[in-house]
Amino acid sequence: MKSVSIYTLTRNQNISCVQKLERQMSGRGYFLKMREWELDSMKAFVRELETHMDEVYALWFFYSFQIPRLGKEFDLLQIREDQIVNVELKSGAVSDEALRKQLIQNRYYLAVQGKTIRSYTYISSQNRLVRLTNHDRIVDADWEQLCADLRDGGKDYEGDVEELFQAELYLISPLTEPERFLNKEYFLTAQQRDIERQILKKIRAERTGAYWFTGLPGTGKTLLLYDIAMKLSGKQRVCMIHCGESKKDWKRLHERLRRVEYLPDSEIGAECGLEECSAVLVDEAHLLEPGARELLAGISTRRPVIFSGDCEDVISPDELGESAEMVWKSVPGVQTFRMTNRIRTNAELSVFIQNMMRLTRGKGRRMYPHVSAGYGNDEEEAEKLLKGYLALGYRYFEENAGSSEDVERLVVLLDERYFYDETGYLRSGNRSVRRLFHRLNQAKEELAFVVKKNEAVYSVILGLLQAM
């Protein structure tokens, strides 16, 4: 998305023409839905600027920019070599505290650029301009100061603003970045906040219940679960249960937490002390054994139990057995949520992985420039292909590795044991492909496959890599 001239955009014309003009200037792939009151606020802002500076026509802003996959939106951003000026537009009166919170949050997202940030809000109904100080206070601003800021900072950034703001810059992991989590150096997405609000509201009203949210890897489920845990542990002890093999990694975080107890899934039982906690939270609940699920479902009738798990609908039901979804839907009164906004994982890789794991899904067929494949006719050829990818900085997926670490580039070996069943699911003899699925979703930028002595699977992968 390119910057636009707000002077040009606010000349007198009907809203339909404004939308067409905005799309032409910004290069959006769609028409921006603009309301009359929003346009009126920007017109009032431009008129006021014109009374204090002559060259308003030369000002370029990124208008109504939303960080991809996060849902974080900015009204006006002037991005220059040395600074960013953020101006939020309001039509009606808003409390200073609400203005302060919004500008502080905006500054957090803008800070990744390493530039000086100037933060303003203009309330058109009051003709009031305010700014956020370096001490996080809201004060009435001087128009001359704003105009001076708009003239400073060097040359305008003329590129695509989406290239500056990648969602991956903002998603932190409590596991790998415990300091940032403990220092609250993060914000939840709009979807995460909405799910949290609904869960906490019901817990505070009823003090019991089962809550389950699920989504593909990379939707921020663990961060949401820990944020809920921190809020629930303000005065009472809660228990966080982790499933999987990265127990030593979780220990780093839990050594610093107060009133949040850690329990591995292998220790869940009648005598494990869960009844003494005010709430129980379960990460990676899709890995729970049936007996543990039943015990936790029973506890939910006496205190809140919150489950977070990956969506595994691209894995054959034969391998999953009784799915977690069916288990929790059988719990009376369970409240379920589906997280859809993928943050961590490259959207291109995500679509390819889903289509590869289940051929009948056919979702979002497209080109995949960051996915590659090679074929080895024997052990020696496959080994050389793997070494070639490793030389390029790829990490090799080993089936028995229990690491939960994300990687920039990932290479996977698919041997003759992999096949597609009659329903289109990828299978692997007497082994489960669940670990493969979750490991593939840890690739952030590049994904490669070395297929060994398996022409059928190789043909499928090459077919998926072609544009449809």
Side-chain angles (χ1 to χ4, degrees):
M1 187 182 110
K2 304 291 186 180
S3 58
V4 303
S5 164
I6 60 173
Y7 179 85
T8 303
L9 204 59
T10 53
R11 298 309 88 197
N12 190 30
Q13 53 196 301
N14 65 53
I15 193 74
S16 176
C17 288
V18 175
Q19 289 175 323
K20 293 175 182 177
L21 176 63
E22 193 283 331
R23 183 182 181 187
Q24 184 272 326
M25 285 194 295
S26 68
R28 292 181 200 270
Y30 58 92
F31 289 106
L32 182 66
K33 293 182 180 179
M34 302 175 68
R35 299 176 179 84
E36 291 286 355
W37 64 264
E38 293 174 330
L39 186 57
D40 289 343
S41 292
M42 186 156 58
K43 287 180 177 179
F45 175 68
V46 170
R47 284 196 299 269
E48 195 63 38
L49 280 178
E50 288 186 287
T51 66
H52 295 88
M53 65 186 299
D54 296 326
E55 61 275 23
V56 178
Y57 56 84
L59 296 177
W60 291 79
F61 291 84
F62 294 97
Y63 171 57
S64 192
F65 165 62
Q66 188 173 97
I67 298 177
R69 290 182 279 158
L70 285 187
K72 176 57 189 172
E73 188 174 359
F74 305 87
D75 287 344
L76 295 173
L77 289 178
Q78 183 200 61
I79 303 178
R80 290 189 163 174
E81 293 173 317
D82 301 323
Q83 76 172 19
I84 299 175
V85 177
N86 170 216
V87 181
E88 293 299 311
L89 302 174
K90 307 291 182 186
S91 60
V94 182
S95 70
D96 281 6
E97 180 58 21
L99 298 176
R100 188 181 79 90
K101 287 182 177 180
Q102 182 183 33
L103 291 181
I104 288 175
Q105 187 181 80
N106 288 6
R107 187 175 62 191
Y108 162 80
Y109 285 102
L110 297 173
V112 299
Q113 301 302 316
K115 304 176 188 287
T116 300
I117 301 167
R118 313 293 186 190
S119 305
Y120 293 87
T121 297
Y122 176 64
I123 305 99
S124 58
S125 62
Q126 301 173 326
N127 194 27
R128 183 189 180 202
L129 181 71
V130 300
R131 67 179 178 87
L132 182 69
T133 70
N134 292 334
H135 300 290
D136 293 346
R137 295 174 52 237
I138 288 292
V139 298
D140 287 321
D142 182 87
W143 283 94
E144 298 297 337
Q145 180 181 1
L146 171 60
C147 292
D149 286 341
L150 292 174
R151 295 187 185 98
D152 292 340
K155 185 180 178 181
D156 281 311
Y157 173 70
E158 297 179 353
D160 186 341
V161 68
E162 292 186 3
E163 295 180 359
L164 297 180
F165 297 91
Q166 300 294 324
E168 290 80 2
L169 297 171
Y170 304 101
L171 178 68
I172 75 160
S173 168
L175 167 61
T176 58
E177 300 172 281
E179 292 297 333
R180 290 187 63 189
F181 174 76
L182 293 168
N183 291 333
K184 298 184 178 180
E185 296 177 7
Y186 65 91
F187 286 98
L188 300 181
T189 66
Q191 185 181 57
Q192 288 171 322
R193 291 196 303 271
D194 181 59
I195 292 173
E196 181 178 79
R197 178 187 58 78
Q198 294 186 60
I199 290 176
L200 292 179
K201 180 179 179 180
K202 193 165 185 181
I203 286 176
R204 286 163 181 160
E206 302 180 8
R207 304 294 178 182
T208 61
Y211 310 85
W212 176 54
F213 55 86
T214 186
L216 288 169
T219 47
K221 299 183 298 297
T222 298
L223 178 61
L224 173 58
L225 193 69
Y226 263 92
D227 194 73
I228 293 173
M230 294 297 282
K231 288 181 170 61
L232 292 176
S233 66
K235 295 181 180 180
Q236 294 178 296
R237 188 165 64 94
V238 303
C239 181
M240 178 72 75
I241 296 175
H242 285 292
C243 306
E245 302 179 10
S246 302
K247 298 178 176 61
K248 62 179 184 300
D249 297 324
W250 294 115
K251 185 178 179 181
R252 295 171 51 208
L253 176 62
H254 281 272
E255 287 174 346
R256 301 281 304 279
L257 293 176
R258 294 183 177 181
R259 292 187 293 274
V260 179
E261 302 292 334
Y262 164 73
L263 183 71
D265 60 319
S266 58
E267 297 180 15
I268 297 176
E271 306 298 328
C272 63
L274 291 178
E275 296 282 3
E276 300 174 7
C277 297
S278 62
V280 178
L281 301 94
V282 187
D283 194 30
E284 296 188 286
H286 55 279
L287 298 177
L288 281 172
E289 294 295 329
R293 292 200 298 259
E294 294 172 6
L295 187 148
L296 293 169
I299 291 177
S300 71
T301 63
R302 299 181 291 280
R303 56 194 30 76
V305 180
I306 306 169
F307 304 92
S308 167
D310 286 347
C311 172
E312 298 182 304
D313 57 2
V314 294
I315 298 175
S316 171
D318 292 341
E319 294 196 3
L320 290 176
E322 188 179 17
S323 71
E325 180 176 1
M326 294 307 297
V327 170
W328 300 123
K329 284 186 176 179
S330 69
V331 177
V334 64
Q335 191 164 349
T336 61
F337 306 88
R338 179 69 180 265
M339 297 178 67
T340 57
N341 297 336
R342 293 186 53 90
I343 305 170
R344 185 186 68 224
T345 304
N346 184 302
E348 171 200 328
L349 302 187
S350 175
V351 172
F352 181 85
I353 293 166
Q354 292 178 69
N355 289 340
M356 182 194 111
M357 297 295 298
R358 184 182 178 187
L359 298 180
T360 56
R361 192 177 183 89
K363 177 182 179 182
R365 294 188 179 275
R366 52 188 287 181
M367 290 292 288
Y368 302 99
H370 298 92
V371 182
S372 60
Y375 188 76
N377 289 281
D378 53 37
E379 194 78 34
E380 182 180 358
E381 288 184 1
E383 184 68 22
K384 288 180 178 179
L385 289 172
L386 284 174
K387 287 182 177 179
Y389 280 112
L390 294 176
L392 293 174
Y394 282 73
R395 292 278 297 278
Y396 174 50
F397 162 67
E398 298 182 58
E399 287 191 52
N400 295 323
S403 173
S404 60
E405 177 185 1
D406 292 340
V407 297
E408 297 295 325
R409 293 177 161 188
L410 181 69
V411 60
V412 174
L413 176 68
L414 301 178
D415 59 23
E416 62 272 24
R417 291 173 291 183
Y418 287 91
F419 66 95
Y420 285 94
D421 65 17
E422 63 279 3
T423 58
Y425 288 100
L426 180 67
R427 306 290 294 277
S428 182
N430 59 356
R431 300 171 302 169
S432 172
V433 298
R434 294 176 76 184
R435 188 187 297 277
L436 170 67
F437 170 66
H438 293 290
R439 187 63 169 139
L440 291 176
N441 277 285
Q442 290 174 256
K444 295 172 65 176
E445 298 296 337
E446 306 273 351
L447 184 58
F449 296 91
V450 172
V451 184
K452 183 180 70 174
K453 295 190 292 186
N454 194 331
E455 292 185 12
V457 168
Y458 181 61
S459 177
V460 168
I461 291 178
L462 287 183
L464 290 173
L465 290 175
Q466 310 307 305
M468 299 298 290

